[in-house]
Amino acid sequence: MAQKRRDFIKISSLSAAGLIFGAQQLRSAIPPYSQTELGDFGPLSSQRTPTYCEVCFWKCAGWVYKNQEGAIQKVVGNDNDSNCNGRLCPRGTGGVGMYYDEDRLKNPLIRVKGKDGKQTFREASWDEALDVVAKGLQKVKEEHGAECTALLTHGSGGHYFGTLLKAFGSTNIAAPSYAQCRGPREVGFIATFGEGLNSPEPTDIRDTRCLVLIGSHLGENMHNGQVQEMSDAIDKGASIITVDPRFSTVASKSKFWLPIKPATDIALLLTWIHEIIENEWYDKDYVERYTYGLDLLKAHVKNYTPEWAYGITTIKPEGIRETAREMANAAPSVIIHPGRHVTWYGDDTQRLRAVAILNALLGSWGRRGGFYVPEKASVPSYPHPEFPKPQRTWRDAMGGKYKLADLALASGVCDATIPSPDLNCSIKAWIVNGTNLIMTLPDQRKTIEAIQNLDFMVVVDTMPMEITGYADVVLPECTYLERWDDLRVVQGREPNIALRMPAAEPKYNTKPAYWMAKKLADKMGLGDYFAWNSMEEMLDWQLKEVGSSLEEMKRIGVKNLPREYGGLYFRDGEEIEFNTNTGKIELYSTALAAEGFDPMPKYTPHMEPPAGYYHLNYGRAPQHTFSRTSNNPNLTDLMDENTLWVNPKVAKEWGLKNGQPVYLENQDGVVSDFPIKVRVTERTRFDSVYMVHGFGHANKKLSRAFGKGASDSQLITRVLVDPIMGGTGMRGNFVTFRFEKESEVKS
């Protein structure tokens, strides 16, 4: 077989004897920490350092405490933070493990080829590594144009690399959290209400009387503030309706659990809409005042009866009617929750349109116990020159598709990297910041094909994730506990800002993203875009612009600001103009119709699993965030591998026992790299299996995560692309069991 241009390099192979050293100015790694430093901290110091968590996107604000010897011991929530109310989730309290993880990346690495043609990494100084990055990006710009570079990012550092890329002349900036997670709900809600949901979602759970969770795993996907509010709502007597093929944690707290057949959610939503309209359970004054298209919608859903839906969803008609009545009785204090990870079956924008329409009919948008009106602090950026206008944008790089997507698509960047006659410009260079694309993007084979077509790739990460093995340069970032970052500015019931400052010097030879981006800008002649001399200077300038200061924020950590734009809810009879073509909440979407899409959601049957195969359902665990925490020593102690939930009926047919390891093979012949242990349980349907996402790492350098459980990402090869906004539906894959691994991929 001919050698690929870009070999995957296992960073674990870089032993002291095998490394190729190329820089005299390398620092030696910090010696291993003692057990005292790792565990037995002794009395706490009275000093504390403000931070906000980077373990998940919720970014709860907190305080870092150290012992009297100066070693970091724990992180606790900030009482004044509305994201956490002083209480961190298991992930947040376990974040200290990121700092002490000895598997962390420790030095910059550069890909080199030996005399035998074998590719490997050698350690380098920061100056040399950044020189290689600057020259690699400049070469792509000279040969193809700045627009042929892209940033794929997750986390706080993305802002600095985004500034660098825009100064360079490219706006191809994408986060997997859009096309692979929340994008369809944003487009669906914008098409309905004229605005998206953003993060955290403005759900007024604390005052709701009925919470409907359709594929939303609150309590397992730890959206901290929402989980706390849900607990309070339950204590106040709120009812919960959970729609899920699996009896999830929140299903156990619910008044109704509807174990729906996978891929039939739109049918249930349309039938609920039918029941609300036919029985005139909708909020008549609200709908008349604020919405457009009720008569069209009524005619559209006329035949979507509970009896019709029963044959599709397997939910009995009386269950559908009873839950519709439960919502109507609670309205307007009712929430049909939009969820977060909503890229399922390729019709996801329309499914989230149905969710939005149902909320509109019940009058919950802008109402107490429904969706409040959020507000976000306006914090100015530090002055810098205007960015150059790119000759081509990310939409051009993606063939002009998905006009209704309001952000660039990570999967689209991947597609645009594979040469095609349909594209005006192929992407030639990637900056990958804080996202393990091998386990994040669906269809790993396509991701690797795209990587093989790159001229240059730099990866910035704290850990040797699989993506680092494909990089030309690896830049080791320090953890969030060791660095300054931008102010956290998020929407909420009241505007607020939070400060992150380093609690310790960076371990090993790691650096913060802002430092890397600023140094690169200097090397590339773009230093004016990072005109501040230090992060302290930049942050203090911003804080004084909003009536605070760095000195104050070091003391308080979080500052809540007064609202400027009215109340949390619509006032009775208030005239409101929505940012849609009609100025109304659009039950019939004129924007979708103008682009040639169905203006109202329709149900279309999806593919059924072949005989002997089962729907592959996946989700989250409260102990882990994606694949990024599966090596964290604190969180691994809580959960070190995933299991496969199998219905007893299926287990009996296959002769499966609890704890038995099996390999999984999907419909395309892809077999999991590692086995996964069976959990026989009535808590999942007979046509489905379930596993937690983020396990099955193949990099041996991840000493705790390597080979633990199976990777759902590896088995997602059938991608159902949403034609409206390009979201990657990943729940159309099916798996069967293999007791021995015959091959990784069948030809």
Side-chain angles (χ1 to χ4, degrees):
M1 179 185 294
Q3 188 181 45
K4 294 180 180 178
R5 191 198 70 79
R6 188 186 302 275
D7 292 345
F8 174 78
I9 302 171
K10 292 184 178 180
I11 292 178
S12 60
S13 67
L14 303 182
S15 65
L19 280 170
I20 305 172
F21 292 95
Q24 297 298 319
Q25 53 274 70
L26 285 176
R27 301 190 310 178
S28 61
I30 297 174
Y33 278 71
S34 66
Q35 185 58 45
T36 299
E37 290 169 308
L38 286 172
D40 300 326
F41 287 91
L44 284 174
S45 167
S46 60
Q47 294 184 344
R48 61 184 187 178
T49 305
T51 191
Y52 54 87
C53 185
E54 191 79 8
V55 182
C56 86
F57 74 91
W58 210 255
K59 295 190 183 336
C60 296
W63 298 103
V64 183
Y65 285 91
K66 297 187 281 189
N67 67 9
Q68 293 180 344
E69 284 70 47
I72 293 175
Q73 180 176 19
K74 66 177 182 179
V75 185
V76 301
N78 188 314
D79 290 339
N80 294 319
D81 181 34
S82 57
N83 278 26
C84 74
N85 305 303
R87 292 175 286 173
L88 298 183
C89 75
R91 302 170 186 174
T93 55
V96 175
M98 298 171 64
Y99 174 72
Y100 285 109
D101 192 339
E102 69 279 3
D103 292 341
R104 286 172 55 177
L105 292 167
K106 297 177 175 66
N107 289 291
L109 302 171
I110 295 175
R111 177 183 294 266
V112 293
K113 184 181 291 187
K115 292 181 180 179
D116 59 356
K118 184 178 180 181
Q119 298 176 20
T120 187
F121 285 124
R122 67 170 173 83
E123 291 185 344
S125 68
W126 274 101
D127 190 58
E128 182 188 14
L130 295 176
D131 266 343
V132 173
V133 174
K135 290 174 182 175
L137 295 175
Q138 292 284 17
K139 187 172 186 290
V140 168
K141 182 175 184 177
E142 292 167 5
E143 295 180 356
H144 306 284
E147 300 86 357
C148 292
T149 59
L151 168 66
L152 296 137
T153 184
H154 191 280
S156 302
H159 172 253
Y160 313 113
F161 291 113
T163 298
L164 178 69
L165 200 71
K166 286 185 282 188
F168 189 58
S170 173
T171 55
N172 297 326
I173 301 170
S177 59
Y178 187 71
Q180 282 67 60
C181 194
R182 63 183 179 86
R185 72 166 202 194
E186 299 301 311
V187 175
F189 271 64
I190 290 170
T192 308
F193 298 107
E195 60 183 303
L197 292 156
N198 301 309
S199 298
E201 300 84 7
T203 48
D204 199 26
I205 296 175
R206 69 182 185 188
D207 287 327
T208 198
R209 295 174 57 205
C210 179
L211 175 63
V212 183
L213 300 170
I214 181 162
S216 182
H217 303 153
L218 282 185
E220 294 167 329
N221 198 0
M222 288 298 297
H223 297 174
N224 192 351
Q226 291 187 8
V227 173
Q228 291 183 34
E229 290 197 13
M230 181 176 68
S231 177
D232 292 341
I234 292 172
D235 288 344
K236 292 191 292 186
S239 62
I240 299 180
I241 301 168
T242 296
V243 182
D244 201 315
R246 179 179 65 97
F247 191 71
S248 61
T249 298
V250 74
S252 70
K253 311 296 182 186
S254 300
K255 182 175 181 179
F256 299 93
W257 172 46
L258 306 182
I260 194 168
K261 180 180 178 181
T264 65
D265 303 79
I266 288 184
L268 175 62
L269 288 162
L270 289 170
T271 302
W272 274 339
I273 292 170
H274 165 91
E275 286 296 290
I276 296 296
I277 293 176
E278 288 297 314
N279 291 290
E280 297 189 354
W281 290 341
Y282 58 92
D283 188 321
K284 294 183 178 62
D285 180 68
Y286 183 98
V287 168
E288 181 179 353
R289 183 181 298 274
Y290 295 132
T291 71
Y292 167 80
L294 176 64
D295 290 341
L296 294 168
L297 179 64
K298 182 176 181 179
H300 178 68
V301 299
K302 183 174 181 60
N303 296 323
Y304 292 140
T305 65
E307 286 72 21
W308 167 83
Y310 177 35
I312 296 169
T313 66
T314 72
I315 305 299
K316 293 181 179 179
E318 54 267 31
I320 296 175
R321 290 191 172 95
E322 190 174 5
T323 48
R325 189 181 299 110
E326 186 81 12
M327 297 178 218
N329 289 339
S333 296
V334 58
I335 302 168
I336 297 84
H337 198 289
R340 174 80 184 182
H341 178 66
V342 299
T343 45
W344 298 356
Y345 307 118
D347 53 6
D348 306 299
T349 298
Q350 293 289 19
R351 188 181 79 255
L352 272 296
R353 270 274 295 150
V355 168
I357 289 169
L358 194 53
N359 279 299
L361 290 172
L362 295 168
S364 67
W365 187 259
R367 309 288 283 281
R368 182 181 294 276
F371 294 79
Y372 64 81
V373 179
E375 194 166 314
K376 186 175 182 178
S378 178
V379 179
S381 298
Y382 196 86
H384 61 70
E386 289 290 323
F387 293 120
K389 186 175 181 180
Q391 297 298 312
R392 297 180 296 272
T393 69
W394 63 270
R395 295 185 188 277
D396 298 314
M398 293 162 204
K401 294 186 292 184
Y402 313 126
K403 293 180 181 178
L404 294 178
D406 56 337
L407 293 174
L409 310 174
S411 50
V413 169
C414 185
D415 290 344
T417 306
I418 300 171
S420 167
D422 298 330
L423 298 178
N424 295 325
C425 171
S426 293
I427 303 295
K428 297 296 183 180
W430 289 359
I431 302 172
V432 182
N433 172 69
T435 179
N436 186 15
L437 299 178
I438 303 301
M439 297 187 75
T440 301
L441 297 180
D443 196 348
Q444 291 181 0
R445 293 174 296 187
K446 178 180 280 189
T447 303
I448 293 170
E449 181 184 358
I451 290 171
Q452 295 297 345
N453 279 283
L454 287 170
D455 289 353
F456 185 76
M457 180 169 74
V458 55
V459 174
V460 181
D461 214 314
T462 60
M463 297 295 296
M465 296 297 188
E466 284 80 357
I467 187 65
T468 60
Y470 293 96
D472 292 294
V473 180
V474 178
L475 301 179
E477 186 181 23
C478 56
T479 69
Y480 72 97
L481 298 170
E482 305 161 276
R483 68 186 193 230
W484 295 98
D485 258 316
D486 278 348
L487 298 171
R488 187 207 71 184
V489 184
V490 294
Q491 67 179 23
R493 292 185 174 90
E494 56 184 0
N496 67 82
I497 53 177
L499 177 69
R500 173 187 288 161
M501 65 178 291
E505 289 293 318
K507 288 183 69 174
Y508 311 113
N509 194 14
T510 62
K511 298 289 185 183
Y514 74 82
W515 182 91
M516 300 181 209
K518 183 174 173 62
K519 290 291 184 182
L520 281 170
D522 289 340
K523 289 179 179 291
M524 298 165 68
L526 304 171
D528 288 348
Y529 292 90
F530 296 83
W532 35 268
N533 295 309
S534 67
M535 281 293 287
E536 294 97 315
E537 175 191 327
M538 190 269 285
L539 290 168
D540 194 48
W541 180 87
Q542 286 185 308
L543 288 165
K544 286 176 178 174
E545 291 290 310
V546 296
S548 182
S549 68
L550 185 57
E551 187 273 332
E552 179 188 40
M553 290 300 291
K554 286 180 178 179
R555 287 188 286 104
I556 64 176
V558 172
K559 188 176 183 68
N560 293 303
L561 305 170
R563 288 180 65 95
E564 296 182 3
Y565 304 108
L568 284 173
Y569 314 108
F570 298 167
R571 298 187 301 273
D572 288 345
E574 181 180 6
E575 293 300 321
I576 297 169
E577 183 173 355
F578 297 85
N579 191 27
T580 60
N581 293 332
T582 61
K584 302 279 190 178
I585 298 171
E586 295 199 350
L587 308 178
Y588 176 102
S589 173
T590 58
L592 290 178
E595 293 297 329
F597 299 114
D598 291 328
M600 294 174 289
K602 293 179 180 178
Y603 170 72
T604 303
H606 289 280
M607 186 178 293
E608 299 281 351
Y613 284 74
Y614 307 89
H615 289 274
L616 174 61
N617 293 332
Y618 57 88
R620 308 284 187 246
Q623 302 92 333
H624 287 289
T625 305
F626 314 128
S627 64
R628 64 194 303 181
T629 60
S630 52
N631 202 69
N632 182 308
N634 291 354
L635 301 179
T636 301
D637 281 348
L638 301 177
M639 180 181 184
D640 64 349
E641 64 181 317
N642 55 3
T643 57
L644 187 73
W645 293 29
V646 179
N647 185 276
K649 176 183 176 182
V650 176
K652 184 177 180 180
E653 290 176 355
W654 285 85
L656 300 174
K657 306 295 183 186
N658 264 321
Q660 178 180 352
V662 295
Y663 291 91
L664 298 177
E665 181 179 342
N666 78 354
Q667 72 283 339
D668 295 324
V670 174
V671 181
S672 59
D673 282 339
F674 305 104
I676 184 171
K677 293 176 182 175
V678 169
R679 177 185 177 185
V680 180
T681 175
E682 295 275 5
R683 292 175 60 179
T684 189
R685 284 176 56 105
F686 65 88
D687 52 7
S688 309
V689 296
Y690 171 82
M691 62 197 297
V692 170
H693 168 73
F695 290 87
H697 284 278
N699 192 337
K700 291 182 179 179
K701 184 61 178 175
L702 299 170
S703 61
R704 299 174 193 86
F706 172 73
K708 292 296 184 70
S711 167
D712 59 307
S713 301
Q714 184 186 8
L715 300 165
I716 296 172
T717 56
R718 183 169 178 257
V719 183
L720 306 172
V721 178
D722 188 321
I724 297 175
M725 57 68 59
T728 51
M730 293 177 270
R731 295 183 184 264
N733 290 270
F734 314 117
V735 295
T736 191
F737 311 107
R738 293 289 176 258
F739 300 101
E740 293 182 358
K741 187 173 182 183
E742 298 176 359
S743 62
E744 292 185 8
V745 181
K746 291 185 176 179
S747 59

